[in-house]
Amino acid sequence: MRRAIELAARGIGHTSPNPVVGCVVLDSEGRTAGEGWHHRAGGPHAEIEALRAAGERARGGTALVTLEPCNHTGRTGPCAQALIDAGIARVVYAVSDPNPTATGGAVTLADAGVDVEGGLLVDEAVAGNEAWLTSVLRGRPFVLWKYAATLDGRIAAADGTSRWISSPQSRADVHRLRAAADAVIVGSGTARADDPQLGVRISGLSDDDITPPLRVVVDSGAGAVRPGARVLDGTAPTLIAVAEDADASHLEGLAPIVRLPRAAEGPGLHIPDLLKALYERDVRSVLLEGGPTLAGAFLAARVVDKVVGYLAPVLLGAGPAAVGDAGITTIAQALRLDVTDTERLGPDLRITATPIRPALPEEN
């Protein structure tokens, strides 16, 4: 199963709106007969890839899958039936499929006389598929907020300069996060100050190996993105989110626009509606790279699922903080986090944390 989880990870950044899935088929003697993973949405599922590799050796064997085999026909056929047709005698999966249109594969397999077991290495499999599972269970994209700051929490100096607070190693790691996301989101402040391109560059990988994320600019007043902006360079799709009452005529023909209600309180747009609009565009995971105002809005909406902070051994003493107003006025309202990982990247410290909230069903 750990091998299946490793295989599933190869699909991260390529399979949306589908999950990442890995599969290992053992022959009747318990020897590896075939391996597979889901490469891209619309392509063969992991079980099909592994069964093709195993051939006749699959008959009487065991399939280990990171996600319960699907039970529906979409762009591909049901994997549960494919396992039955291949003569698989036993199926072991890690995570039950929470998607109401695909669940039921375990029952179909059992009804056909296949020995079925679920829950093996469930925590590891959930961690590898957290974005998709979150999107299915919460009906919105998984949100990872990334920021880089000094040890005293500043993201720029008092005069606005910020290049470079973090190290080359940390900046390279951010490109890894971008490659895994369906969309990257920045706000109007970042668009004006940095004119970001928001592309993905990973050493050793060509453009063919990377699925560029959708670049999203939250520009409520439609004044931050202008012709010639790097985010409009055509190397990746771009979406500009503006307020319903904003004059965005100058953006026509430059990039697709989505109009959304303004936030009921504070500046910017209504964040849940923004996430809903992205979900409807098959976005299942987003990397939030915006400045303090946008980060505060997402935190206030309680839609941040993971935080990755790059802390540089630098002190500034003044300058903008990493996060702005998040609607928290007293310590009792503080958003508490659970630190799940720490790692040195060059001189920096990367901290990964998740908000302490009720667990997803698969994590209980």
Side-chain angles (χ1 to χ4, degrees):
M1 184 61 80
R2 284 202 172 90
R3 175 58 178 167
I5 293 171
E6 291 176 2
L7 291 169
R10 297 183 183 182
I12 292 176
H14 302 290
T15 64
S16 190
N18 292 350
V20 294
V21 183
C23 179
V24 175
V25 171
L26 308 178
D27 65 17
S28 58
E29 301 297 322
R31 297 168 297 198
T32 299
E35 297 182 340
W37 71 94
H38 187 36
H39 291 249
R40 292 184 182 274
H45 288 190
E47 297 94 323
I48 306 305
E49 293 276 354
L51 289 173
R52 286 176 179 172
E56 282 301 312
R57 295 178 63 195
R59 192 162 298 279
T62 299
L64 296 103
V65 196
T66 57
L67 184 67
E68 177 187 1
C70 66
N71 198 42
H72 79 300
T73 299
R75 284 182 281 185
T76 60
C79 291
Q81 188 60 49
L83 291 164
I84 294 168
D85 294 343
I88 287 288
R90 183 168 183 248
V91 171
V92 181
Y93 63 89
V95 183
S96 298
D97 194 333
N99 189 341
T101 64
T103 191
V107 173
T108 297
L109 289 163
D111 287 347
V114 178
D115 182 18
V116 182
E117 176 186 349
L120 180 61
L121 299 185
V122 62
D123 291 342
E124 293 179 36
V126 164
N129 226 351
E130 62 180 350
W132 182 81
L133 287 169
T134 298
S135 72
V136 171
L137 293 167
R138 298 198 168 120
R140 61 161 175 80
F142 173 86
V143 177
L144 189 159
W145 172 43
K146 155 265 164 186
Y147 71 94
T150 62
L151 283 184
D152 53 348
R154 308 296 177 177
I155 61 170
D159 65 356
T161 55
S162 61
R163 295 194 180 191
W164 290 102
I165 284 177
S166 60
S167 67
Q169 294 91 332
S170 292
R171 298 197 296 275
D173 195 62
V174 171
H175 283 269
R176 177 187 62 83
L177 297 182
R178 286 182 184 173
D182 294 342
V184 179
I185 304 178
V186 297
S188 57
T190 299
R192 286 192 183 94
D194 299 338
D195 187 24
Q197 194 262 348
L198 302 178
V200 178
R201 297 176 297 279
I202 298 178
S203 178
L205 294 183
S206 67
D207 291 344
D208 293 337
D209 297 321
I210 298 170
T211 301
L214 173 69
R215 301 176 293 188
V216 181
V217 181
V218 180
D219 186 11
S220 55
V225 180
R226 294 291 177 179
R230 297 176 68 213
V231 78
L232 301 174
D233 65 5
T235 59
T238 299
L239 179 69
I240 304 175
V242 304
E244 292 171 329
D245 58 353
D247 179 6
S249 56
H250 61 284
L251 296 174
E252 293 180 4
L254 296 179
I257 298 171
V258 59
R259 291 187 175 274
L260 300 169
R262 292 184 182 271
E265 297 180 5
L269 304 177
H270 189 248
I271 299 303
D273 279 347
L274 170 64
L275 293 177
K276 179 182 178 182
L278 293 176
Y279 188 85
E280 290 172 350
R281 287 166 170 77
D282 283 343
V283 171
R284 297 296 180 263
S285 64
V286 303
L287 175 63
L288 177 61
E289 291 200 44
T293 300
L294 193 61
F298 270 76
L299 290 169
R302 292 295 194 265
V303 293
V304 173
D305 300 296
K306 179 181 283 189
V307 179
V308 175
Y310 300 89
L311 300 183
V314 177
L315 297 174
L316 286 173
V323 62
D325 182 10
I328 298 171
T329 58
T330 179
I331 195 67
Q333 298 173 337
L335 180 59
R336 303 287 178 176
L337 306 176
D338 177 31
V339 175
T340 58
D341 182 67
T342 60
E343 184 174 342
R344 286 287 299 270
L345 294 177
D348 301 339
L349 177 65
R350 185 187 69 196
I351 298 178
T352 303
T354 56
I356 298 173
R357 55 158 62 116
L360 297 177
E362 287 78 11
E363 299 169 335
N364 289 331

